[in-house]
Amino acid sequence: MKDPTDFGYEQVPEADKARRVGAVFDRVAERYDLMNDLMSLGLHRLWKAFAISIARPRPGDRILDVASGSADLASSIGRRVMPGGQVWLADINRRMLERGRDRVLDDGLLAPAVQCDAERLPFPAEYFDCVTVAFGLRNMTHKDRALAEMTRVLKPGGRLVILEFSKVWKPLERAYDFYSFRVLPWLGKQVAGDAAAYRYLAESIRMHPDQPTLAGMLERAGLSRVEVFNLAAGVVAVHRGYRI
Amino acid sequence: MRRGLIGLAAFVLCGMLATEAADAARLGGARSSGVQRSVPKTPPTATPAKPAQQQAAPNQAAPAAQPQPSGLARWMPMLGGLALGGLLGYLFAGNGMGGILLLVLLAVGAVLLFRMFARRGAQSPQPIQYAGMNQGTTVAPPPAEAPGAVMPSAARFPGGFDAASFLRGAKMNFVKLQLANDQGKLDDIREFTTDEMFEALERDVIGRHGVGQQTDIESLDAQVVDFATEGQQHWVSVRFSGRVREAAEADPVDFAEVWNLVKPADGSSGWLLAGIQQMH
């Protein structure tokens, strides 16, 4: 196989990953928000609120929310950058982006929505004060390229904030595995009618780099003062780095 | 003494807030102005306002088949989140395996509840029966024609009128016009309004003597409540509702107003705002 990459535990040709991730989101788009609440017992709302406080949006800021999905992050950020600021939604999946665009408008905010690949962002260099990506980096084929792109569009002094599943505290590992590989696919089947999509979720979390590895990747992408904030015993982590 | 001082401070603060709120207002000054048309005072559906992505579907001529969650199912995320979220601290504080068992139980319970509600939601249209009719011949009315709904059916819209994208555009222009009004950008207002309406809105902007304001919309819903063709003009009445904060320190308030939009039948211009009608 030419240039294989991970799709959960499966190895697939690199060129296929984006399409297969896209298919997963097309299948679960309708039940996406409900599943997030059920799977995390509502905690994903707190995690996102924490990530926003780490991103520290200020009035007048121009912020890019990559993989914005149903725009949970963008909606809260959009309010905090007013007056004078702007939040942009970007997602590779059209259905998710449409949901996000409508959601933001229902919240009374105007936000440009761009369907694009995070590895090739259609923005000039040094354009944004902050780039956020919540539960999106894991699904990107070349994480290093995506990180480099997100760094490129940051203004000097701008910050990249990544909220993503991470490596859970060792003593909780077995329990977490049981939950991820037994409960999640079953829950996904009952609610979203798709066990495979949620098996992919559990597997892709295991394949995602742990806290120190991802911090190193941020540094290699050209970010400084990289910090890691663990949440729920490392089930998720927020990484923040500055472009100096 | 201290209580007195606090009281005085609160009184002064309230006074300041009231003054702020009195000066600032959304487009049209939260008053009715311009062309007024006959539209129902109450929301067109008995159900509470829903976001466009859900409520616009019945108006579309041929909407893509999407499963709509039942009333209770829509609340499941919130209920699940609220009821179960607080327990996670306990889960992680206790020993791992006991915690995970409880977590599994919670997940099982949540799914069973969800399925129960979903099934009940799916059955709800069925009980509408007519005396003397065989059960097999009874047909549940489509949602748009259900009792209590006075929503104009898709048949009343002219061909090619896509209600979902029309409402999306309407909401965007609603927000844009609030911004233009806040910043006193008269050219932007003129672009979307009839001459008569523009004059009224211009007076409001000039009356503020260049003082800026910030209208913060917290939620926004839009519904088409009327569509008519009169002479050489198409009319659409769009009911906007939601919550809005009209001054930085003010509390957000509920609002509901109908915007009467007009467009020449020959298509020589786009939809223009001709009048605003307050519904509260």
Side-chain angles (χ1 to χ4, degrees):
Chain A
M1 200 184 296
K2 190 171 157 274
D3 297 332
T5 188
D6 59 286
F7 175 77
Y9 285 171
E10 243 183 282
Q11 290 291 307
V12 298
E14 226 172 42
D16 277 10
K17 176 159 174 172
R19 183 181 54 78
R20 295 187 61 164
V21 170
V24 165
F25 278 96
D26 278 342
R27 296 207 303 271
V28 301
E30 288 309 318
R31 293 275 189 220
Y32 183 76
D33 298 305
L34 175 66
M35 273 304 288
N36 282 349
D37 274 306
L38 286 176
M39 287 186 309
S40 71
L41 307 177
L43 278 181
H44 74 104
R45 294 161 190 269
L46 296 180
W47 296 336
K48 285 168 182 164
F50 180 79
I52 291 169
S53 72
I54 292 298
R56 234 185 281 163
R58 284 170 285 227
D61 275 358
R62 186 190 290 138
I63 297 188
L64 174 66
D65 186 31
V66 174
S68 58
S70 46
D72 281 349
L73 233 56
S75 236
S76 320
I77 291 175
R79 216 166 281 293
R80 291 172 189 227
V81 297
M82 296 303 282
Q86 198 176 35
V87 62
W88 289 67
L89 316 183
D91 204 301
I92 197 165
N93 185 286
R94 190 184 173 90
R95 285 185 71 185
M96 295 300 290
L97 188 66
E98 281 173 352
R99 280 177 72 86
R101 175 200 62 189
D102 291 349
R103 173 87 72 83
V104 168
L105 194 53
D106 287 337
D107 288 341
L109 294 165
L110 291 177
V114 185
Q115 187 180 7
C116 63
D117 185 346
E119 295 172 21
R120 286 183 292 273
L121 290 172
F123 299 104
E126 306 188 1
Y127 194 65
F128 293 101
D129 297 287
C130 176
V131 174
T132 57
V133 49
F135 302 117
L137 186 67
R138 202 181 65 250
N139 296 320
M140 293 171 193
T141 311
H142 306 98
K143 297 174 184 67
D144 45 354
R145 273 188 222 166
L147 289 171
E149 266 299 87
M150 294 189 265
T151 306
R152 179 185 67 83
V153 299
L154 276 178
K155 293 178 189 172
R159 57 260 180 226
L160 172 65
V161 174
I162 297 170
L163 172 63
E164 189 53 271
F165 291 105
S166 205
K167 195 161 175 61
V168 75
W169 185 45
K170 191 89 182 157
L172 289 176
E173 232 168 40
R174 280 188 59 191
Y176 185 55
D177 279 351
F178 177 78
Y179 180 68
S180 311
F181 289 105
R182 303 280 168 198
V183 183
L184 280 194
W186 178 80
L187 202 62
K189 186 160 183 255
Q190 301 299 314
V191 178
D194 195 330
Y198 288 90
R199 195 167 303 117
Y200 163 71
L201 171 71
E203 291 178 5
S204 67
I205 290 171
R206 299 309 186 288
M207 298 303 290
H208 190 66
D210 62 8
Q211 289 88 333
T213 312
L214 184 57
M217 291 170 76
L218 261 68
E219 278 163 1
R220 274 194 299 284
L223 295 165
S224 311
R225 288 167 55 199
V226 174
E227 287 171 278
V228 184
F229 307 84
N230 278 314
L231 299 171
V235 169
V236 295
V238 176
H239 283 67
R240 178 177 65 189
Y242 286 87
R243 177 174 185 178
I244 303 288
Chain B
M1 178 61 193
R2 207 169 68 184
R3 189 171 292 175
L5 270 179
I6 292 172
L8 184 67
F11 178 74
V12 171
L13 194 66
C14 287
M16 279 162 60
L17 295 185
T19 336
E20 283 277 348
D23 292 336
R26 61 184 183 268
L27 186 79
R31 301 180 306 269
S32 293
S33 54
V35 176
Q36 308 288 298
R37 293 176 62 84
S38 148
V39 289
K41 270 274 181 192
T42 47
T45 47
T47 48
K50 287 164 281 179
Q53 66 226 46
Q54 288 169 16
Q55 61 90 21
N59 286 337
Q60 277 178 296
Q66 289 173 354
Q68 297 295 319
S70 68
L72 276 163
R74 258 201 307 277
W75 288 100
M76 275 304 292
M78 193 74 100
L79 291 176
L82 286 176
L84 308 181
L87 285 165
L88 207 99
Y90 166 77
L91 294 178
F92 280 112
N95 67 50
M97 221 39 218
I100 213 70
L101 282 177
L102 182 55
L103 197 126
V104 171
L105 278 176
L106 288 172
V108 171
V111 168
L112 289 179
L113 269 175
F114 170 77
R115 295 183 76 183
M116 196 175 80
F117 288 141
R119 202 173 303 133
R120 191 175 296 170
Q123 285 167 351
S124 61
Q126 294 302 329
I128 301 170
Q129 300 280 333
Y130 301 96
M133 275 183 127
N134 286 334
Q135 200 168 336
T137 59
T138 307
V139 180
E145 292 160 26
V150 290
M151 201 74 179
S153 67
R156 287 190 53 195
F157 294 137
F161 184 84
D162 177 354
S165 60
F166 177 82
L167 286 172
R168 191 161 53 241
K171 282 186 192 173
M172 275 162 93
N173 286 337
F174 183 91
V175 180
K176 269 185 202 162
L177 278 169
Q178 305 300 339
L179 275 175
N181 183 49
D182 284 352
Q183 298 166 355
K185 289 186 176 167
L186 289 171
D187 286 345
D188 290 4
I189 297 177
R190 194 196 312 267
E191 199 182 327
F192 294 106
T193 51
T194 61
D195 293 344
E196 298 78 20
M197 192 65 201
F198 176 72
E199 277 173 29
L201 298 173
E202 188 185 28
R203 274 196 297 276
D204 288 347
V205 171
I206 291 170
R208 285 206 306 271
H209 304 291
V211 179
Q213 62 171 32
Q214 191 184 343
T215 306
D216 191 6
I217 304 162
E218 296 213 325
S219 67
L220 180 62
D221 190 14
Q223 292 160 301
V224 174
V225 289
D226 191 37
F227 190 103
T229 301
E230 290 166 8
Q232 293 304 305
Q233 288 178 322
H234 295 310
W235 286 90
V236 170
S237 298
V238 181
R239 184 184 201 275
F240 291 101
S241 57
R243 284 174 77 72
V244 64
R245 191 195 301 272
E246 295 185 321
E249 301 86 358
D251 285 331
V253 292
D254 288 330
F255 75 94
E257 59 191 32
V258 167
W259 283 25
N260 294 313
L261 306 171
V262 65
K263 176 183 172 171
D266 60 14
S268 57
S269 93
W271 291 100
L272 297 176
L273 174 63
I276 299 178
Q277 274 168 271
Q278 296 304 319
M279 290 290 116
H280 281 324

